[in-house]
Amino acid sequence: MATSEFVPQPARYAVFVDAGYLYAASGALLLGCSSRREYRVAAEKLIKALTSHADDQLLGELLRVYWYDAAPKKQPTVDQRVIANLPLVKLRLGNLNAQGQQKGVDAQLRNDLEALARHRAITDAVLLAGDEDMLPAVEAAQRYGVRVHLWGVEPTHGSNQAEWLVWESDTVEVLPADFLRPYFTKAKALPVPAAPPDAAAVRDGAGGRAPVPSPSEVFAGRTPAVKPSAAPLGPNPAVRQGAPAAAAAHVNNHTAPAPAPGEGKLGPDRDHMLEIGEHVAQKWIFERGRDNIRDLLPGPILPPVIDKELLIEAEKELGGSLRPYQEARTWLRDGFWERVYREFGIGIGKSS
């Protein structure tokens, strides 16, 4: 008679984070803020800190982090897009209604936790949450033999976690303020650049108008370079004015270096790239919402994930690759920022 041998399940855990609870409780504790717009979160570093802490507390390997959040019409924000691209992190989005309430988050968490428990994919679950709506998820996982470790944020007073949720969990830990403080900072007011001086009153050395800074130059504190005037036609000036032969030879020998292979290609037109940049910005404002785009301010540096999305969108519009053309990509970003700054009433000049 054949007998089945019991194979012990390897220790493995997953981390389930209710971002709405984590952000709200941490913002109140650390900064006295009630709205996410009042502070910024270094989400990538925070997630690394949480997984490192879980690794210290639990046996086995990490399966992945499940990050539950909400957004209007489930359209991910800039920060959520960055989180979604992190390794071993699964972003789950519910809907954020007009009253600021998350809808569908608890159901997604329960489905994920119960499915992993039922298929014996995990032995332990870390749950960073405080709402009593998470209770069914805890009970479902425990029925399949999974241990649930409840984490919370240090409360400003009393408790910020439901009593029944605390009772039903296998272990409970409260993350102190010192653990969370490095990842939360107060949001800075958006800078409004001063209006540029009267162009008629500012002249460069060659007698032309001074160049107007681009958006990236304004916010990076750089001064736009003055374009050199065209060299005069005819004989070399040094020779014409009777300069020594050595000086004339020095001038003649300093010709422009030969372009590297591939640098001689003609790239996209500057005005066309500015137009595409503005078009993508307008499209994103319409599709993703003004609040979403406002999170990119003050600029001019885009998160790598968003910059890549901008490049892909522009290449679709252009019908070709922009990767060989660094200057064209700069014009694209300038056009994008000009439209964004105009949308939010931040006045700056165009690139010269």
Side-chain angles (χ1 to χ4, degrees):
M1 180 177 177
T3 59
S4 60
E5 183 179 351
F6 174 75
V7 179
Q9 183 180 359
R12 188 182 295 117
Y13 62 91
V15 179
F16 300 83
V17 180
D18 179 358
Y21 162 77
L22 173 60
Y23 283 9
S26 299
L29 172 67
L30 302 172
L31 304 169
C33 299
S34 58
S35 169
R36 283 200 199 183
R37 298 219 162 274
E38 299 178 70
Y39 53 87
R40 293 287 179 264
V41 183
E44 183 175 358
K45 293 180 180 179
L46 174 59
I47 291 172
K48 287 181 179 178
L50 292 173
T51 54
S52 178
H53 186 62
D55 184 59
D56 293 338
Q57 301 294 318
L58 301 173
L59 296 175
E61 64 175 349
L62 170 68
L63 176 65
R64 68 179 61 90
V65 175
Y66 289 84
W67 190 269
Y68 300 89
D69 207 349
K73 299 180 181 179
K74 295 187 179 181
Q75 185 67 246
T77 66
V78 173
D79 288 342
Q80 289 164 349
R81 289 173 181 273
V82 172
I83 291 170
N85 279 271
L86 297 177
L88 297 181
V89 177
K90 180 73 71 174
L91 175 67
R92 299 286 200 224
L93 279 185
N95 188 46
L96 188 67
N97 65 20
Q99 289 72 42
Q101 300 169 323
Q102 296 185 153
K103 296 297 181 182
V105 172
D106 54 324
Q108 291 186 75
L109 193 153
R110 174 176 178 171
N111 290 341
D112 288 334
L113 182 50
E114 185 172 358
L116 293 179
R118 184 172 65 251
H119 293 291
R120 297 168 60 86
I122 56 173
T123 55
D124 296 82
V126 174
L127 176 61
L128 179 45
D131 200 322
E132 191 169 345
D133 290 344
M134 302 300 172
L135 186 57
V138 172
E139 295 172 335
Q142 289 173 330
R143 283 196 294 270
Y144 290 103
V146 171
R147 292 180 293 268
V148 178
H149 309 275
L150 181 67
W151 289 3
V153 174
E154 179 183 332
T156 55
H157 59 276
S159 176
N160 55 22
Q161 290 176 294
E163 193 173 44
W164 276 101
L165 185 62
V166 172
W167 290 350
E168 289 297 321
S169 300
D170 294 294
T171 67
V172 178
E173 180 180 353
V174 174
L175 301 176
D178 288 343
F179 178 90
L180 299 163
R181 185 169 286 111
Y183 314 109
F184 290 80
T185 55
K186 202 83 176 248
K188 298 178 181 178
L190 296 180
V192 180
D198 183 8
V202 182
R203 304 284 179 177
D204 60 18
R209 293 184 182 275
V212 181
S214 70
S216 55
E217 289 169 336
V218 169
F219 281 87
R222 300 197 303 268
T223 303
V226 177
K227 294 182 179 179
S229 57
L233 299 176
N236 189 291
V239 177
R240 186 173 62 248
Q241 295 172 7
H250 174 78
V251 173
N252 289 331
N253 287 336
H254 281 70
T255 56
E263 285 187 359
K265 298 179 182 177
L266 291 176
D269 176 74
R270 176 181 181 276
D271 289 340
H272 191 197
M273 293 312 304
L274 290 173
E275 182 181 345
I276 291 177
E278 291 206 26
H279 173 73
V280 174
Q282 177 60 46
K283 179 180 176 183
W284 285 6
I285 290 170
F286 176 76
E287 293 180 349
R288 303 182 180 184
R290 293 180 82 253
D291 288 345
N292 195 327
I293 301 303
R294 185 188 285 113
D295 288 341
L296 296 172
L297 294 172
I301 305 301
L302 287 168
V305 171
I306 307 301
D307 193 62
K308 182 179 179 181
E309 291 180 0
L310 173 60
L311 180 62
I312 291 173
E313 288 271 11
E315 289 177 339
K316 289 179 182 177
E317 294 287 335
L318 190 65
S321 175
L322 287 171
R323 283 160 178 76
Y325 308 112
Q326 175 62 44
E327 191 172 34
R329 298 200 299 273
T330 300
W331 295 333
L332 170 69
R333 296 181 185 108
D334 278 348
F336 176 86
W337 282 116
E338 285 173 13
R339 178 65 186 89
V340 171
Y341 292 149
R342 192 163 67 248
E343 177 72 18
F344 295 98
I346 303 176
I348 52 178
K350 292 186 177 181
S351 301
S352 59

